[in-house]
Structures are given as C-alpha cells and as structure tokens.
C-alpha cells in the first residue's frame, strides 16, 4: 500500500498521542524521522481529505507525499498548537490550490504561448503563485481591449480548446480570417502584457 512508503520505526500509542512534543523536537533538531512519527498516524485522514477534493486516487496519493514535504518546511516556520485541525486545514488548502491551478491551465497556456513568440521581446514567465495570479488578471484585462474578432478567436482556440475549423464554424469566419485574427490577436495581447500602461487604456494599433 502506498502509505507504507512513509513508514518509519514503529510508532507506539504514546508517541502518536504527543504531537506537541514531537513538533517541538522536530523544530529543535530538524530530524525528519520525528516528522514521520508525527505525520504517519494521520496519513489516511490526509488521503481522505485529498481524495474528497481531487476525486482521483493517484492525485490524492501524490498530494499526501507532497504535503509531507511541505510540512518539512512549514512546521519550522509556524507555531502549531493543535496539530490535527491545522493539518486538515493545510491539506484542504493544498488541494484547493491544485484545483485552482487546474482551472487556470487553459489561461496559462495562452499566456505561455504569447510569451514564447519569437517576433517580440521576451516576457518574464512567473512561477510564483501570486505572480501567476497577477499574470492571469492582466491577461483578462488585455483580452477585453482587443477587437471583438481577435478576442473571440483567442478565447475559442486557447481557452475553450477549439480547432481552427471549429472556430470558423462557430464564428462564421473563414479559416484564413481565423488564423489572421489569432496571429494578430496574440501580437496585440503580448504588446499589452509587456506594457502595463496599456491595461485600462487601448492596445496599440497594429494590422488587424
């Protein structure tokens, strides 16, 4: 069973009942084995929480392992008085973060596609969650500044994952128009993303 990959020396009932002491010892020594003793009795609960949100066994198993690695850092940063409620909250927030990232994947695919264009200056690609959220907000604002035809084609092609043919069928544009709107829309979107002053104003005019 996957839970066994975290197994440490056998835990006594007395050890499992003293999370506050184990946390203090771990914070003092950094001994990951102590963290394993603390975490193991609650792994099935963490798995249940993760499965409730993610609805996928493998993703829930991976989350249990990733959360253990997160605790290595978090428990040395935060004062935790009640370990089990705190752990439940950490597991829930971690899963919600994964779900939010999953929902944002199409939007990030559009940003990454725009950023990777060779015909314009490179844009910074943010890895930090807060920066990624800022990128998404700016992209949404910039999309609203594009001509309707370009915004519609970009939304259908990148965010709704439609093919060129499907975009043409849905919009009534021919394939040549669809490709032109996508190409010029990406160019204008990149100009907007690279110049924060254009947000809230107008995107610099280029050939449409």
């Amino acid at each position: 069973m996957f839970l066994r990959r975290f197994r440490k020396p056998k835990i006594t009932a007395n050890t499992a009942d003293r999370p506050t002491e184990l946390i203090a010892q771990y914070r003092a020594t950094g001994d990951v084995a102590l963290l394993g003793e603390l975490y193991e009795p609650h792994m099935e609960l963490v798995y249940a929480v993760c499965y409730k949100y993610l609805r996928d066994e493998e993703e829930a198993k991976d989350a249990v392992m990733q959360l253990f690695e997160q605790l290595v850092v978090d428990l040395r940063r935060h004062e935790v008085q009640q370990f089990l409620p705190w752990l439940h909250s950490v597991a829930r927030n971690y899963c919600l973060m994964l779900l939010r990232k999953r929902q944002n994947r199409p939007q990030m695919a559009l940003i990454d596609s725009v950023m990777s264009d060779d015909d314009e200056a490179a844009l910074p690609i943010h890895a930090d969650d807060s920066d990624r959220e800022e990128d998404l907000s700016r992209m949404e604002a910039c999309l609203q500044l594009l001509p309707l035809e370009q915004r519609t084609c970009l939304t259908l092609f990148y965010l709704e994952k439609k093919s060129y043919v499907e975009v043409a069928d849905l919009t009534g544009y021919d394939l040549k128009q669809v490709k032109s709107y996508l190409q010029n829309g990406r160019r204008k979107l990149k100009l907007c993303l690279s110049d924060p002053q254009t947000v809230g104003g107008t995107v610099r005019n280029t050939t449409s």
Side-chain angles (χ1 to χ4, degrees):
M1 190 175 181
F2 87 99
L3 296 174
R4 289 176 183 167
R5 59 177 84 181
F6 281 126
R7 297 284 180 191
K8 301 294 181 183
K10 186 175 180 180
I11 302 170
T12 65
N14 182 56
T15 301
D17 289 340
R18 55 184 182 89
T20 302
E21 182 179 346
L22 285 170
I23 291 172
Q25 292 177 357
Y26 170 68
R27 286 171 61 86
T29 65
D31 186 350
V32 177
L34 293 169
L35 185 58
E37 292 183 16
L38 176 68
Y39 189 55
E40 185 181 10
H42 308 297
M43 287 173 63
E44 292 191 29
L45 172 64
V46 172
Y47 173 79
V49 171
C50 292
Y51 183 78
K52 174 184 175 181
Y53 285 95
L54 302 177
R55 309 308 299 176
D56 181 274
E57 290 185 5
E58 292 305 316
E59 281 192 295
K61 293 174 184 178
D62 288 342
V64 173
M65 292 184 284
Q66 292 300 318
L67 280 163
F68 179 79
E69 294 180 6
Q70 182 174 320
L71 293 186
V72 171
V73 176
D74 285 357
L75 277 176
R76 303 201 76 180
R77 287 181 177 174
H78 305 293
E79 293 284 349
V80 177
Q81 301 300 323
Q82 307 233 343
F83 178 68
L84 188 55
W86 179 82
L87 179 61
H88 188 282
S89 177
V90 169
R92 182 191 66 231
N93 290 339
Y94 179 82
C95 293
L96 291 174
M97 178 193 69
L98 290 181
L99 291 174
R100 186 167 64 250
K101 286 183 176 180
R102 182 187 298 171
Q103 291 169 351
N104 287 338
R105 281 174 190 164
Q107 289 88 336
M108 293 314 305
L110 173 54
I111 293 176
D112 290 341
S113 174
V114 169
M115 289 177 173
S116 67
D117 283 348
D118 294 327
D119 56 343
E120 300 288 350
L123 293 176
I125 298 178
H126 293 128
D128 182 80
D129 287 339
S130 61
D131 288 334
R132 282 297 216 182
E133 292 290 344
E134 181 181 345
D135 287 340
L136 289 168
S137 296
R138 289 184 57 205
M139 184 206 71
E140 290 171 1
C142 286
L143 272 176
Q144 296 307 310
L145 300 177
L146 295 177
L148 176 62
E149 298 87 351
Q150 295 174 5
R151 181 170 71 249
T152 300
C153 288
L154 286 170
T155 299
L156 290 172
F157 187 78
Y158 286 102
L159 306 188
E160 298 186 21
K161 300 299 184 183
K162 304 297 183 183
S163 66
Y164 289 118
V165 173
E166 289 173 323
V167 174
D169 288 342
L170 289 168
T171 60
Y173 308 140
D174 61 39
L175 283 176
K176 184 176 180 180
Q177 287 177 309
V178 168
K179 293 178 180 180
S180 176
Y181 289 142
L182 285 171
Q183 179 180 1
N184 289 296
R186 285 172 58 187
R187 184 176 296 114
K188 288 185 178 181
L189 186 59
K190 185 167 187 177
L191 287 171
C192 181
L193 288 170
S194 65
D195 183 3
Q197 292 183 351
T198 61
V199 179
T202 57
V203 181
R204 193 177 314 159
N205 286 330
T206 62
T207 302
S208 59

mmCIF file of all heavy atoms in Angstrom, residues 46-55 59-60 62-64 67 70 88-103:
data_model
loop_
_atom_site.group_PDB
_atom_site.id
_atom_site.type_symbol
_atom_site.label_atom_id
_atom_site.label_comp_id
_atom_site.label_asym_id
_atom_site.label_seq_id
_atom_site.Cartn_x
_atom_site.Cartn_y
_atom_site.Cartn_z
ATOM 1 N N VAL A 46 -5.375 12.390 5.867
ATOM 2 C CA VAL A 46 -4.934 13.344 4.842
ATOM 3 C C VAL A 46 -5.329 12.835 3.462
ATOM 4 O O VAL A 46 -5.823 13.598 2.619
ATOM 5 C CB VAL A 46 -3.413 13.565 4.923
ATOM 6 C CG1 VAL A 46 -2.931 14.407 3.742
ATOM 7 C CG2 VAL A 46 -3.048 14.243 6.239
ATOM 8 N N TYR A 47 -5.159 11.531 3.230
ATOM 9 C CA TYR A 47 -5.555 10.952 1.946
ATOM 10 C C TYR A 47 -7.054 11.132 1.715
ATOM 11 O O TYR A 47 -7.484 11.491 0.610
ATOM 12 C CB TYR A 47 -5.192 9.467 1.894
ATOM 13 C CG TYR A 47 -5.722 8.769 0.666
ATOM 14 C CD1 TYR A 47 -5.076 8.890 -0.565
ATOM 15 C CD2 TYR A 47 -6.892 8.018 0.736
ATOM 16 C CE1 TYR A 47 -5.579 8.266 -1.696
ATOM 17 C CE2 TYR A 47 -7.405 7.397 -0.394
ATOM 18 C CZ TYR A 47 -6.748 7.518 -1.603
ATOM 19 O OH TYR A 47 -7.249 6.910 -2.724
ATOM 20 N N ALA A 48 -7.846 10.907 2.744
ATOM 21 C CA ALA A 48 -9.299 11.049 2.615
ATOM 22 C C ALA A 48 -9.689 12.484 2.276
ATOM 23 O O ALA A 48 -10.560 12.719 1.434
ATOM 24 C CB ALA A 48 -9.992 10.609 3.907
ATOM 25 N N VAL A 49 -9.030 13.436 2.921
ATOM 26 C CA VAL A 49 -9.301 14.841 2.632
ATOM 27 C C VAL A 49 -8.932 15.155 1.181
ATOM 28 O O VAL A 49 -9.706 15.794 0.449
ATOM 29 C CB VAL A 49 -8.516 15.764 3.587
ATOM 30 C CG1 VAL A 49 -8.630 17.224 3.149
ATOM 31 C CG2 VAL A 49 -9.025 15.603 5.011
ATOM 32 N N CYS A 50 -7.765 14.690 0.761
ATOM 33 C CA CYS A 50 -7.303 14.984 -0.593
ATOM 34 C C CYS A 50 -8.197 14.319 -1.648
ATOM 35 O O CYS A 50 -8.516 14.923 -2.672
ATOM 36 C CB CYS A 50 -5.853 14.526 -0.777
ATOM 37 S SG CYS A 50 -4.671 15.491 0.208
ATOM 38 N N TYR A 51 -8.615 13.096 -1.368
ATOM 39 C CA TYR A 51 -9.480 12.414 -2.329
ATOM 40 C C TYR A 51 -10.841 13.097 -2.429
ATOM 41 O O TYR A 51 -11.437 13.181 -3.511
ATOM 42 C CB TYR A 51 -9.659 10.948 -1.950
ATOM 43 C CG TYR A 51 -10.500 10.192 -2.957
ATOM 44 C CD1 TYR A 51 -9.938 9.774 -4.158
ATOM 45 C CD2 TYR A 51 -11.844 9.932 -2.715
ATOM 46 C CE1 TYR A 51 -10.710 9.104 -5.102
ATOM 47 C CE2 TYR A 51 -12.618 9.271 -3.652
ATOM 48 C CZ TYR A 51 -12.052 8.858 -4.844
ATOM 49 O OH TYR A 51 -12.805 8.211 -5.777
ATOM 50 N N LYS A 52 -11.330 13.616 -1.312
ATOM 51 C CA LYS A 52 -12.612 14.330 -1.308
ATOM 52 C C LYS A 52 -12.587 15.497 -2.276
ATOM 53 O O LYS A 52 -13.579 15.756 -2.976
ATOM 54 C CB LYS A 52 -12.912 14.824 0.107
ATOM 55 C CG LYS A 52 -14.147 15.707 0.202
ATOM 56 C CD LYS A 52 -14.329 16.242 1.603
ATOM 57 C CE LYS A 52 -15.501 17.221 1.673
ATOM 58 N NZ LYS A 52 -15.674 17.782 3.042
ATOM 59 N N TYR A 53 -11.465 16.207 -2.339
ATOM 60 C CA TYR A 53 -11.375 17.376 -3.209
ATOM 61 C C TYR A 53 -10.926 17.026 -4.620
ATOM 62 O O TYR A 53 -11.449 17.566 -5.598
ATOM 63 C CB TYR A 53 -10.410 18.414 -2.607
ATOM 64 C CG TYR A 53 -10.996 19.153 -1.441
ATOM 65 C CD1 TYR A 53 -10.756 18.719 -0.134
ATOM 66 C CD2 TYR A 53 -11.802 20.266 -1.625
ATOM 67 C CE1 TYR A 53 -11.305 19.397 0.953
ATOM 68 C CE2 TYR A 53 -12.351 20.944 -0.543
ATOM 69 C CZ TYR A 53 -12.099 20.502 0.742
ATOM 70 O OH TYR A 53 -12.657 21.166 1.808
ATOM 71 N N LEU A 54 -9.952 16.138 -4.752
ATOM 72 C CA LEU A 54 -9.353 15.865 -6.055
ATOM 73 C C LEU A 54 -10.089 14.793 -6.843
ATOM 74 O O LEU A 54 -9.989 14.752 -8.071
ATOM 75 C CB LEU A 54 -7.888 15.468 -5.875
ATOM 76 C CG LEU A 54 -7.017 16.494 -5.156
ATOM 77 C CD1 LEU A 54 -5.604 15.959 -4.957
ATOM 78 C CD2 LEU A 54 -6.974 17.813 -5.924
ATOM 79 N N ARG A 55 -10.787 13.893 -6.146
ATOM 80 C CA ARG A 55 -11.579 12.827 -6.768
ATOM 81 C C ARG A 55 -10.740 11.935 -7.691
ATOM 82 O O ARG A 55 -11.227 11.429 -8.697
ATOM 83 C CB ARG A 55 -12.759 13.413 -7.564
ATOM 84 C CG ARG A 55 -13.614 14.399 -6.812
ATOM 85 C CD ARG A 55 -14.100 13.885 -5.478
ATOM 86 N NE ARG A 55 -14.926 12.695 -5.621
ATOM 87 C CZ ARG A 55 -15.417 12.009 -4.580
ATOM 88 N NH1 ARG A 55 -15.121 12.386 -3.342
ATOM 89 N NH2 ARG A 55 -16.173 10.964 -4.781
ATOM 90 N N GLU A 59 -3.795 11.192 -7.761
ATOM 91 C CA GLU A 59 -3.537 12.585 -7.374
ATOM 92 C C GLU A 59 -3.582 12.739 -5.857
ATOM 93 O O GLU A 59 -2.785 13.497 -5.278
ATOM 94 C CB GLU A 59 -4.562 13.517 -8.019
ATOM 95 C CG GLU A 59 -4.292 13.844 -9.464
ATOM 96 C CD GLU A 59 -5.146 14.988 -9.968
ATOM 97 O OE1 GLU A 59 -6.375 14.813 -10.031
ATOM 98 O OE2 GLU A 59 -4.597 16.050 -10.285
ATOM 99 N N ALA A 60 -4.511 12.027 -5.210
ATOM 100 C CA ALA A 60 -4.610 12.096 -3.750
ATOM 101 C C ALA A 60 -3.366 11.498 -3.099
ATOM 102 O O ALA A 60 -2.841 12.034 -2.109
ATOM 103 C CB ALA A 60 -5.873 11.381 -3.267
ATOM 104 N N ASP A 62 -0.344 11.331 -4.450
ATOM 105 C CA ASP A 62 0.749 12.280 -4.677
ATOM 106 C C ASP A 62 0.641 13.455 -3.711
ATOM 107 O O ASP A 62 1.658 13.955 -3.214
ATOM 108 C CB ASP A 62 0.718 12.803 -6.119
ATOM 109 C CG ASP A 62 1.144 11.748 -7.123
ATOM 110 O OD1 ASP A 62 1.778 10.758 -6.715
ATOM 111 O OD2 ASP A 62 0.837 11.908 -8.326
ATOM 112 N N ALA A 63 -0.584 13.898 -3.459
ATOM 113 C CA ALA A 63 -0.788 15.032 -2.554
ATOM 114 C C ALA A 63 -0.326 14.691 -1.144
ATOM 115 O O ALA A 63 0.261 15.530 -0.455
ATOM 116 C CB ALA A 63 -2.261 15.445 -2.551
ATOM 117 N N VAL A 64 -0.578 13.463 -0.704
ATOM 118 C CA VAL A 64 -0.135 13.045 0.633
ATOM 119 C C VAL A 64 1.384 13.150 0.737
ATOM 120 O O VAL A 64 1.923 13.635 1.741
ATOM 121 C CB VAL A 64 -0.606 11.611 0.948
ATOM 122 C CG1 VAL A 64 0.001 11.117 2.262
ATOM 123 C CG2 VAL A 64 -2.126 11.555 1.032
ATOM 124 N N LEU A 67 2.476 16.873 0.613
ATOM 125 C CA LEU A 67 2.169 17.548 1.871
ATOM 126 C C LEU A 67 3.208 17.219 2.939
ATOM 127 O O LEU A 67 3.556 18.076 3.756
ATOM 128 C CB LEU A 67 0.765 17.175 2.348
ATOM 129 C CG LEU A 67 -0.354 17.949 1.648
ATOM 130 C CD1 LEU A 67 -1.696 17.252 1.851
ATOM 131 C CD2 LEU A 67 -0.421 19.389 2.169
ATOM 132 N N GLN A 70 5.969 19.422 2.278
ATOM 133 C CA GLN A 70 5.624 20.793 2.658
ATOM 134 C C GLN A 70 5.750 20.986 4.165
ATOM 135 O O GLN A 70 6.187 22.042 4.638
ATOM 136 C CB GLN A 70 4.195 21.103 2.202
ATOM 137 C CG GLN A 70 3.738 22.527 2.514
ATOM 138 C CD GLN A 70 2.377 22.827 1.928
ATOM 139 O OE1 GLN A 70 2.063 22.429 0.805
ATOM 140 N NE2 GLN A 70 1.553 23.533 2.689
ATOM 141 N N HIS A 88 -5.402 19.342 8.830
ATOM 142 C CA HIS A 88 -6.602 19.248 7.992
ATOM 143 C C HIS A 88 -6.735 20.503 7.131
ATOM 144 O O HIS A 88 -7.034 20.431 5.931
ATOM 145 C CB HIS A 88 -7.831 19.071 8.885
ATOM 146 C CG HIS A 88 -9.092 18.776 8.113
ATOM 147 N ND1 HIS A 88 -9.797 19.771 7.454
ATOM 148 C CD2 HIS A 88 -9.774 17.613 7.913
ATOM 149 C CE1 HIS A 88 -10.854 19.233 6.874
ATOM 150 N NE2 HIS A 88 -10.855 17.928 7.134
ATOM 151 N N SER A 89 -6.507 21.659 7.731
ATOM 152 C CA SER A 89 -6.603 22.914 7.005
ATOM 153 C C SER A 89 -5.525 23.019 5.922
ATOM 154 O O SER A 89 -5.798 23.463 4.801
ATOM 155 C CB SER A 89 -6.471 24.089 7.985
ATOM 156 O OG SER A 89 -6.487 25.322 7.315
ATOM 157 N N VAL A 90 -4.303 22.606 6.250
ATOM 158 C CA VAL A 90 -3.205 22.638 5.279
ATOM 159 C C VAL A 90 -3.524 21.724 4.097
ATOM 160 O O VAL A 90 -3.313 22.101 2.938
ATOM 161 C CB VAL A 90 -1.879 22.225 5.942
ATOM 162 C CG1 VAL A 90 -0.793 21.982 4.894
ATOM 163 C CG2 VAL A 90 -1.422 23.298 6.921
ATOM 164 N N ALA A 91 -4.026 20.530 4.373
ATOM 165 C CA ALA A 91 -4.365 19.585 3.300
ATOM 166 C C ALA A 91 -5.475 20.143 2.417
ATOM 167 O O ALA A 91 -5.405 20.068 1.181
ATOM 168 C CB ALA A 91 -4.781 18.246 3.895
ATOM 169 N N ARG A 92 -6.493 20.709 3.030
ATOM 170 C CA ARG A 92 -7.602 21.288 2.261
ATOM 171 C C ARG A 92 -7.110 22.424 1.373
ATOM 172 O O ARG A 92 -7.429 22.485 0.179
ATOM 173 C CB ARG A 92 -8.679 21.803 3.203
ATOM 174 C CG ARG A 92 -9.906 22.382 2.480
ATOM 175 C CD ARG A 92 -10.816 23.111 3.435
ATOM 176 N NE ARG A 92 -10.166 24.290 3.961
ATOM 177 C CZ ARG A 92 -10.081 24.591 5.251
ATOM 178 N NH1 ARG A 92 -10.591 23.787 6.159
ATOM 179 N NH2 ARG A 92 -9.478 25.690 5.647
ATOM 180 N N ASN A 93 -6.318 23.327 1.937
ATOM 181 C CA ASN A 93 -5.823 24.468 1.161
ATOM 182 C C ASN A 93 -4.911 24.028 0.028
ATOM 183 O O ASN A 93 -4.925 24.616 -1.060
ATOM 184 C CB ASN A 93 -5.088 25.447 2.081
ATOM 185 C CG ASN A 93 -6.033 26.159 3.027
ATOM 186 O OD1 ASN A 93 -7.233 26.246 2.788
ATOM 187 N ND2 ASN A 93 -5.484 26.655 4.131
ATOM 188 N N TYR A 94 -4.117 22.986 0.283
ATOM 189 C CA TYR A 94 -3.238 22.476 -0.763
ATOM 190 C C TYR A 94 -4.063 21.943 -1.940
ATOM 191 O O TYR A 94 -3.755 22.214 -3.102
ATOM 192 C CB TYR A 94 -2.350 21.372 -0.193
ATOM 193 C CG TYR A 94 -1.412 20.756 -1.200
ATOM 194 C CD1 TYR A 94 -0.196 21.361 -1.519
ATOM 195 C CD2 TYR A 94 -1.732 19.558 -1.844
ATOM 196 C CE1 TYR A 94 0.667 20.807 -2.440
ATOM 197 C CE2 TYR A 94 -0.886 18.997 -2.772
ATOM 198 C CZ TYR A 94 0.319 19.613 -3.067
ATOM 199 O OH TYR A 94 1.161 19.053 -3.996
ATOM 200 N N CYS A 95 -5.116 21.199 -1.632
ATOM 201 C CA CYS A 95 -5.963 20.642 -2.696
ATOM 202 C C CYS A 95 -6.708 21.736 -3.444
ATOM 203 O O CYS A 95 -6.857 21.667 -4.672
ATOM 204 C CB CYS A 95 -6.948 19.633 -2.106
ATOM 205 S SG CYS A 95 -6.150 18.144 -1.471
ATOM 206 N N LEU A 96 -7.181 22.739 -2.745
ATOM 207 C CA LEU A 96 -7.853 23.856 -3.407
ATOM 208 C C LEU A 96 -6.903 24.596 -4.342
ATOM 209 O O LEU A 96 -7.300 25.047 -5.420
ATOM 210 C CB LEU A 96 -8.433 24.820 -2.359
ATOM 211 C CG LEU A 96 -9.612 24.281 -1.554
ATOM 212 C CD1 LEU A 96 -10.008 25.269 -0.458
ATOM 213 C CD2 LEU A 96 -10.815 23.994 -2.459
ATOM 214 N N MET A 97 -5.640 24.703 -3.924
ATOM 215 C CA MET A 97 -4.638 25.325 -4.781
ATOM 216 C C MET A 97 -4.446 24.507 -6.062
ATOM 217 O O MET A 97 -4.367 25.065 -7.162
ATOM 218 C CB MET A 97 -3.307 25.455 -4.045
ATOM 219 C CG MET A 97 -2.186 26.044 -4.875
ATOM 220 S SD MET A 97 -0.559 25.830 -4.115
ATOM 221 C CE MET A 97 -0.349 24.042 -4.281
ATOM 222 N N LEU A 98 -4.390 23.167 -5.919
ATOM 223 C CA LEU A 98 -4.243 22.314 -7.096
ATOM 224 C C LEU A 98 -5.434 22.471 -8.032
ATOM 225 O O LEU A 98 -5.273 22.535 -9.254
ATOM 226 C CB LEU A 98 -4.114 20.849 -6.667
ATOM 227 C CG LEU A 98 -2.825 20.424 -5.971
ATOM 228 C CD1 LEU A 98 -2.875 18.936 -5.654
ATOM 229 C CD2 LEU A 98 -1.604 20.735 -6.824
ATOM 230 N N LEU A 99 -6.639 22.534 -7.462
ATOM 231 C CA LEU A 99 -7.833 22.684 -8.288
ATOM 232 C C LEU A 99 -7.833 24.031 -8.998
ATOM 233 O O LEU A 99 -8.234 24.128 -10.161
ATOM 234 C CB LEU A 99 -9.091 22.554 -7.414
ATOM 235 C CG LEU A 99 -9.354 21.158 -6.856
ATOM 236 C CD1 LEU A 99 -10.538 21.184 -5.892
ATOM 237 C CD2 LEU A 99 -9.611 20.157 -7.973
ATOM 238 N N ARG A 100 -7.379 25.074 -8.306
ATOM 239 C CA ARG A 100 -7.325 26.396 -8.927
ATOM 240 C C ARG A 100 -6.322 26.395 -10.082
ATOM 241 O O ARG A 100 -6.586 26.964 -11.143
ATOM 242 C CB ARG A 100 -6.929 27.443 -7.893
ATOM 243 C CG ARG A 100 -6.987 28.872 -8.426
ATOM 244 C CD ARG A 100 -6.892 29.878 -7.308
ATOM 245 N NE ARG A 100 -5.616 29.818 -6.616
ATOM 246 C CZ ARG A 100 -5.446 29.367 -5.374
ATOM 247 N NH1 ARG A 100 -6.479 28.932 -4.672
ATOM 248 N NH2 ARG A 100 -4.243 29.365 -4.812
ATOM 249 N N LYS A 101 -5.191 25.744 -9.888
ATOM 250 C CA LYS A 101 -4.208 25.655 -10.960
ATOM 251 C C LYS A 101 -4.774 24.876 -12.145
ATOM 252 O O LYS A 101 -4.530 25.220 -13.306
ATOM 253 C CB LYS A 101 -2.931 24.983 -10.457
ATOM 254 C CG LYS A 101 -2.083 25.871 -9.560
ATOM 255 C CD LYS A 101 -0.808 25.162 -9.165
ATOM 256 C CE LYS A 101 0.102 26.067 -8.345
ATOM 257 N NZ LYS A 101 1.349 25.383 -7.953
ATOM 258 N N ARG A 102 -5.521 23.806 -11.846
ATOM 259 C CA ARG A 102 -6.115 23.007 -12.912
ATOM 260 C C ARG A 102 -7.090 23.845 -13.728
ATOM 261 O O ARG A 102 -7.125 23.775 -14.962
ATOM 262 C CB ARG A 102 -6.844 21.807 -12.294
ATOM 263 C CG ARG A 102 -7.465 20.867 -13.298
ATOM 264 C CD ARG A 102 -8.301 19.815 -12.583
ATOM 265 N NE ARG A 102 -7.513 18.987 -11.692
ATOM 266 C CZ ARG A 102 -8.056 18.115 -10.836
ATOM 267 N NH1 ARG A 102 -9.362 18.008 -10.736
ATOM 268 N NH2 ARG A 102 -7.283 17.381 -10.064
ATOM 269 N N GLN A 103 -7.882 24.665 -13.060
ATOM 270 C CA GLN A 103 -8.841 25.521 -13.740
ATOM 271 C C GLN A 103 -8.145 26.592 -14.571
ATOM 272 O O GLN A 103 -8.671 27.039 -15.586
ATOM 273 C CB GLN A 103 -9.765 26.184 -12.711
ATOM 274 C CG GLN A 103 -10.708 25.205 -12.032
ATOM 275 C CD GLN A 103 -11.413 25.812 -10.833
ATOM 276 O OE1 GLN A 103 -11.087 26.918 -10.393
ATOM 277 N NE2 GLN A 103 -12.381 25.099 -10.289
#
